């Protein structure tokens, strides 16, 4: 990973490395050394300019100044607070002789200032001279040291520092968490030279294991790598070596630059890093750059679709990095990316309207799968459609259970989101098997049935259940890499529907467990339609769907029939009911749950024409 990221950073031009750079939040002040021909000094006329990031109605000059400050602070900042020049208090975050950066909380009346006073710790004003003394080691000439001495003298006391702050009207508006940063007006090259010298000593995790070979320094990587020298319980107790390896100083610098660039949010998430194909990598970087220059981040999907058109035949051989909130969530190699979703016959995946909700969808690629499938099956908890019309993805975000439809939804999301991420973004088709897909849909549908409420003559979860059934019966076999026959859930559904019509007319008999399970669904739904109770929700189906043995299931159906035996039953009901009551099998009925559900939610063939018209009238009235 280190080598690939290092090569990626080295392939970026200097202009790209500055894109998306933003000034630190707070007040930025630029001072300039004056000269009367004999002496050099800083007085009140040395305040060249200042800028405040939260100032309203920023002028073009303000924007240009703050952008310059962003570059200056970038070349002045500490690698991390453990490597700053203000140890052990760590309040000064700059590490440059030309810059002094601290937070407002450290100044008088700030929260940290009050804490230091209470604990009798030295205030930041007392440590400024010590800070500059350490930065002098980053300077090469006596002239530079003399100029920095003047800069230090203008800031190294409470009275001097507040002299400048009192000249700036917005100082009182600055929040404790925001920065106050002073810069010396010197050429940017001087900032860079001092920064290069600072980084040369700080980029490695520790300098204890540095080695020099052919003028190149090698040391332990600091890239997401903690070196637990003070925690023996984290170190190898039986290893014959102290460290596992070293990286070159150039690689360490590239990794440091990479963390800064990716933290600006100008690169896609996830980030593809192409290897073995300079043309493809160049085209990808050009897209990154175009988006950053236009002030918008081009998403991974847009990048892949743009590149796929011209590199379809050899699209692959890249590392995929998902970086978020300061952490690398995932890093993996993609040997070949499969963008299109096609079945064995070369046809696009298709969601058919098998359960009458007037919705079909052709799914031609893996990204469409996210919107057409993942949104409904995870109840908007994994891929969420916002009010603005775009989508949010929570493959690696924290998922709050209280915002999920149910506890089962939460468990499904956290269990299978990484698998779907691998399936979609890395073309790992084995990540989602047919059994996994079936489990997700069955769990979701049963969950919706338990949550259903019957109000205003309609079921609250009817649309969600039927949408999931459509997806399940249309796509289940697509996740079986070895399935080649026409024996699919969708095809079998049509067979069962034809069978129940013949059974109702006495033209067929139940011969298989599949036929029995489908007929059971039809019979249960028909009997429950006779109910006149206020609660007509799908929750009433749960006692039947929990049955494991056909014998017990038939007993439950018989008890239901006994409840409504005084009702009038159609002639279409009599034979299917008798066949169900007479059928015996030792099969586990939970294994036939999809078929039973299909029988429940398919058009019921047991209704008479009159009963069917009444049901259709009720549906129309509820829709109105």
């Amino acid at each position: 990973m280190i080598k690939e990221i290092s090569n990626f950073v080295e392939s970026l031009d200097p202009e790209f490395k500055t894109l998306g750079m933003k000034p630190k939040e707070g007040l930025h002040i630029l001072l300039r050394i004056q000269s009367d021909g004999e002496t050099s000094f800083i007085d009140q006329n040395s305040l060249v300019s200042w800028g405040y990031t939260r100032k309203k109605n920023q002028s073009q000059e303000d924007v240009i100044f703050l952008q310059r400050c962003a570059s200056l602070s970038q070349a002045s900042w500490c690698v991390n607070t453990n490597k700053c020049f203000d140890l052990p208090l760590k309040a000064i975050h700059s590490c440059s002789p030309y810059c002094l950066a601290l937070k407002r909380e450290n100044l008088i009346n700030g929260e940290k200032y009050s804490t230091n006073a209470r604990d009798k710790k030295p205030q930041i004003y007392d440590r400024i001279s010590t800070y500059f003394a350490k930065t002098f080691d980053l300077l090469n000439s006596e002239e530079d040291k003399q100029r920095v001495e003047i800069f230090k003298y203008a800031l190294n006391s409470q009275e001097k520092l507040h002299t400048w702050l009192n000249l700036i009207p917005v100082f009182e508006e600055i929040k404790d968490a925001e920065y106050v940063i002073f810069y010396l007006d010197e050429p940017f090259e001087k900032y860079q030279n001092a920064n290069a010298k600072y980084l040369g000593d700080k980029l490695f995790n520790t300098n204890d294991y540095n080695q020099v070979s052919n003028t190149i320094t090698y040391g332990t990587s600091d890239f997401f790598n903690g070196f637990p020298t003070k925690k023996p319980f984290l170190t190898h107790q039986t290893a014959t070596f102290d460290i596992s390896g070293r990286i070159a100083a150039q690689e360490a610098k590239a990794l440091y630059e990479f963390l800064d660039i990716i933290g600006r949010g100008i690169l896609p998430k996830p980030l593809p890093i192409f290897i073995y194909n300079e043309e493809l990598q160049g085209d990808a970087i050009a897209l990154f750059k175009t988006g950053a220059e236009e002030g918008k981040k081009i998403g991974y999907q847009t990048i892949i679709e743009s590149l796929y058109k011209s590199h379809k035949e050899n699209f692959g051989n890249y590392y995929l990095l998902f970086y978020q909130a300061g952490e690398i969530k995932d890093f993996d190699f993609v040997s070949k990316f499969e963008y299109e979703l096609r079945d064995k016959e070369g046809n696009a995946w298709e969601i058919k309207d098998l359960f009458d909700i007037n919705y079909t969808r052709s799914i031609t690629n893996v990204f469409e799968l996210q919107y057409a499938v993942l949104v409904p099956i995870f109840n908007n908890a994994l891929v969420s459609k916002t009010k603005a019309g775009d989508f949010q993805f929570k493959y690696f975000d924290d998922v709050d259970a209280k915002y999920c439809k149910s506890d089962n939804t939460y468990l499904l999301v956290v269990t299978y989101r990484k698998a779907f991420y691998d399936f979609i973004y890395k073309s790992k088709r084995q990540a989602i098997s047919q059994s996994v897909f079936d489990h997700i849909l069955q769990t979701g549908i049963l969950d919706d049935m338990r949550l259903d409420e019957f109000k205003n003559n309609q079921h609250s979860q009817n649309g969600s259940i039927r949408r999931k059934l459509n997806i399940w019966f249309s796509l289940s076999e697509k996740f079986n890499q070895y399935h080649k026959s026409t024996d699919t859930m969708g095809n079998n559904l049509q067979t069962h529907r034809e069978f129940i019509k013949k059974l109702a007319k006495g033209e067929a008999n139940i011969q298989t467990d599949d036929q029995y399970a489908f007929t059971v669904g039809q019979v249960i739904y028909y009997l429950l339609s006779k109910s006149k109770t206020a609660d007509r929700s799908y929750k009433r189906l749960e006692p039947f769907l929990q049955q494991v043995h056909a014998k017990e299931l038939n007993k439950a159906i018989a008890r239901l029939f006994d409840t409504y035996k005084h009702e009038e039953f159609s002639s279409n009901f009599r034979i299917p009911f008798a066949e169900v009551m007479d059928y015996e099998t030792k099969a586990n009925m939970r294994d036939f749950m999809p078929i039973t559900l299909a029988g429940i939610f398919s058009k019921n063939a047991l209704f008479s024409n009159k009963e069917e018209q009444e049901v259709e009238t009720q549906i129309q009235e509820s829709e109105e």
Side-chain angles (χ1 to χ4, degrees), residues 20-36:
M21 194 178 291
K22 296 179 180 179
K24 307 291 183 184
E25 291 295 327
L27 178 64
H28 300 258
I29 305 166
L30 182 66
L31 303 180
R32 180 179 297 162
I33 295 177
Q34 308 289 324
S35 176
D36 59 6

Side-chain angles (χ1 to χ4, degrees), residues 188-205:
F188 185 60
E189 289 74 19
K190 290 191 175 184
Y191 278 82
Q192 289 180 309
N193 292 338
N195 183 245
K197 198 166 185 180
Y198 165 75
L199 293 178
D201 184 52
K202 304 296 182 183
L203 285 175
F204 296 117
N205 189 289

